Amino acid sequence: MSAAPATATTPTAAARRRIGVGVIGFGWLGQAHSRSLQRIRTLFPERGFDPELVVCSDTVAARVDDAVTSFGFARGAQDWRRVIDDPDVEVVYVAAPNMLHVELVEAAAEAGKHVFCEKPVGGTPEQTVRADKAARAAGVITGVGYNYRWAPLVQYARRLIADGRLGEITNYRGRFFSMYGSDPLGVLSWRFLVDQAGHGVTTDLMSHSVDLAHMLLGPITRVVGTTETFIPERPLPGAGGTHYGRGTAGDPTGAVTNEDYAGMLCQFASGARGVFEASRSIVGPESQNAFEVYGTKGALAWNLEKLNELQVYLAEDGLDTGYRTVFGGDRFPYHGNFVPGSANAIGFEDLVVIEDYEFCRSVAEGREHRPGFGDALAWVSVQAALLRSSESGRWEDVVSLREE
Ligand SMILES: NC(=O)c1ccc[n+]([C@@H]2O[C@H](COP(=O)([O-])OP(=O)(O)OC[C@H]3O[C@@H](n4cnc5c(N)ncnc54)[C@H](O)[C@@H]3O)[C@@H](O)[C@H]2O)c1
């Protein structure tokens, strides 16, 4: 039974609109979205649509086979054009390596399909600009995989800030520290190669951190930053090797061609100051996508490693003040669709389900979706300034890269 059971007002099957979905790239996130789209049916009785898995494409034949025989796609193909060309596909999910995004997005948009693209939408700022332009020219609805926005307690943090409970925000600390590249024997998967991933940790991890800050505090106007590659060589992977694979000492190696680390100091349009760091080669923090917000009347802190907890300090509590732990629960948006009560935890992939539910809802209702390619563009405009600063050693203004 879903935590939010069907009621007399639940739309009937006949009233629900079918949304045909095609998925390109059937690795970690392609599979996560495919599972999530199926789970929407049993977790969201209030939905006005039914996602249907039509066709999946991956260059690895075994993954295509799995998509059809285990996940229930009607069809599979190694050539991604079969997804775009399929008349039963209304929405294309792009979950292939970053440097392929723009070609896939342009083809989908040209064919009039709505597009959900995994972050960061292209591997370089130039590619994100192209993808955004193509989607706007075609008038299709876009979504981007900034899934951490949908954590119920992140949404609660947003409300506390918007309602002024923290007072005026003075400073913000965002970081995404992941250990996926900390072992020098971690294989040289596509993420470490500029021609397949585009930029490194700025594209892969800092994009998430700054996207959260954009949602919580608004735009960033100028930055100064630095980047570094700490592990310059890695063992070559076998076919289909991911960034969690390991080689062995003595394996042939290749050069890492994008950055492992980025640090950035910045100023928000509101006047608040911020500091951001991202690393994939750090030892210690395992998946620390975290932020701390400080205001004149309070503060809060959230960390993906403890997704179901928010630390809140409110000066209005007077003598009893101090950080307290707010646990996730069904009083926060969508938590109750997964589990009832309080402090019964939800997980990473549940955020993907919420994200896919919200995107399909926008498609079903024919309206603009957030976060969409405009939000992806907001990040790459900051990224471009950071990369310029890393070269110049100076503060750089953030200039919107949006092209008409
Ligand atoms: N939002 C998140 O939290 C999150 C997490 C991980 C990855 N991502 C994003 O998702 C995307 C995919 O990352 P991943 O970790 O799933 O990678 P992955 O390596 O696990 O999967 C990528 C898949 O794409 C396939 N592929 C490669 N070339 C292809 C082509 N021409 N046509 C069809 N398929 C092709 C590969 O065979 C592989 O199965 C990236 O853009 C990444 O940034 C987002």
Side-chain angles (χ1 to χ4, degrees):
M1 189 186 83
S2 131
T7 66
T9 55
T10 300
T12 60
R16 286 193 296 263
R17 171 172 162 345
R18 169 196 170 280
I19 298 181
V21 175
V23 172
I24 304 178
F26 201 57
W28 177 14
L29 262 284
Q31 294 182 25
H33 284 295
S34 303
R35 258 192 306 273
S36 298
L37 287 158
Q38 283 173 323
R39 289 177 70 208
I40 288 172
R41 286 172 180 252
T42 54
L43 292 169
F44 290 81
E46 68 270 37
R47 75 198 180 282
F49 57 87
D50 278 328
E52 201 177 295
L53 301 183
V54 176
V55 55
C56 177
S57 157
D58 198 289
T59 41
V60 178
R63 291 195 174 168
V64 176
D65 184 60
D66 199 32
V68 174
T69 57
S70 307
F71 282 69
F73 279 88
R75 303 180 266 291
Q78 283 176 271
D79 179 358
W80 58 263
R81 283 177 204 283
R82 296 264 302 279
V83 173
I84 310 284
D85 292 343
D86 196 310
D88 292 336
V89 168
E90 184 181 2
V91 169
V92 173
Y93 270 71
V94 174
N98 303 337
M99 289 299 266
L100 294 170
H101 289 176
V102 67
E103 186 184 3
L104 304 175
V105 167
E106 284 177 341
E110 217 167 277
K113 317 277 179 175
H114 305 300
V115 193
F116 184 96
C117 184
E118 256 312 327
K119 44 61 63 171
V121 188
T124 63
E126 298 72 27
Q127 293 192 343
T128 312
V129 171
R130 266 176 60 191
D132 173 64
K133 214 170 150 182
R136 276 188 292 113
V140 297
I141 297 167
T142 62
V144 56
Y146 285 125
N147 46 318
Y148 302 111
R149 283 189 180 214
W150 298 109
L153 287 174
V154 170
Q155 287 294 328
Y156 180 56
R158 177 190 202 176
R159 206 173 88 209
L160 287 174
I161 295 167
D163 289 350
R165 299 284 298 282
L166 306 189
E168 189 184 331
I169 306 303
T170 54
N171 58 304
Y172 185 102
R173 291 162 61 83
R175 65 185 175 283
F176 203 148
F177 288 152
S178 173
M179 272 179 67
Y180 76 73
S182 61
D183 182 348
L185 288 177
V187 297
L188 189 70
S189 75
W190 63 264
R191 273 184 170 74
F192 299 95
L193 299 170
V194 72
D195 61 341
Q196 292 184 42
H199 297 293
V201 81
T202 54
T203 283
D204 198 28
L205 300 180
M206 196 181 273
S207 54
H208 276 298
S209 295
V210 171
D211 178 70
L212 286 178
H214 276 157
M215 181 185 77
L216 295 170
L217 255 61
I220 290 169
T221 53
R222 59 186 205 124
V223 308
V224 62
T226 181
T227 60
E228 182 57 290
T229 304
F230 291 114
I231 300 178
E233 295 268 329
R234 291 180 177 275
L236 299 176
T242 81
H243 58 308
Y244 291 114
R246 293 278 167 276
T248 43
D251 280 355
T253 63
V256 173
T257 50
N258 56 24
E259 76 283 355
D260 286 334
Y261 169 89
M264 176 175 93
L265 197 61
C266 71
Q267 187 172 332
F268 289 85
S270 66
R273 300 302 199 263
V275 59
F276 291 84
E277 272 189 298
S279 177
R280 62 188 181 193
S281 58
I282 198 164
V283 172
E286 296 188 2
S287 193
Q288 208 171 91
N289 175 13
F291 60 80
E292 285 130 36
V293 190
Y294 301 93
T296 50
K297 293 184 187 164
L300 50 81
W302 181 81
N303 176 359
L304 174 64
E305 290 173 343
K306 295 180 178 179
L307 159 59
N308 290 277
E309 295 178 21
L310 182 72
Q311 302 298 319
V312 180
Y313 181 112
L314 295 175
E316 70 194 24
D317 291 342
L319 284 180
D320 291 331
T321 201
Y323 278 95
R324 58 171 177 257
T325 302
V326 176
F327 288 116
D330 60 11
R331 62 196 186 284
F332 300 110
Y334 294 138
H335 193 115
N337 286 70
F338 298 89
V339 274
S342 191
N344 293 319
I346 64 170
F348 172 88
E349 214 163 290
D350 297 331
L351 306 188
V352 180
V353 180
I354 300 172
E355 161 176 272
D356 289 339
Y357 169 72
E358 283 285 355
F359 181 67
C360 289
R361 190 153 79 103
S362 299
V363 169
E365 294 171 7
R367 58 176 164 78
E368 188 189 353
H369 180 74
R370 300 280 305 272
F373 287 5
D375 297 286
L377 201 60
W379 152 245
V380 297
S381 300
V382 174
Q383 181 186 27
L386 163 61
L387 296 172
R388 282 199 308 278
S389 171
S390 174
E391 289 291 312
S392 69
R394 288 194 298 269
W395 282 88
E396 296 283 348
D397 289 337
V398 175
V399 180
S400 171
L401 298 179
R402 184 184 154 113
E403 277 180 12
E404 291 313 322

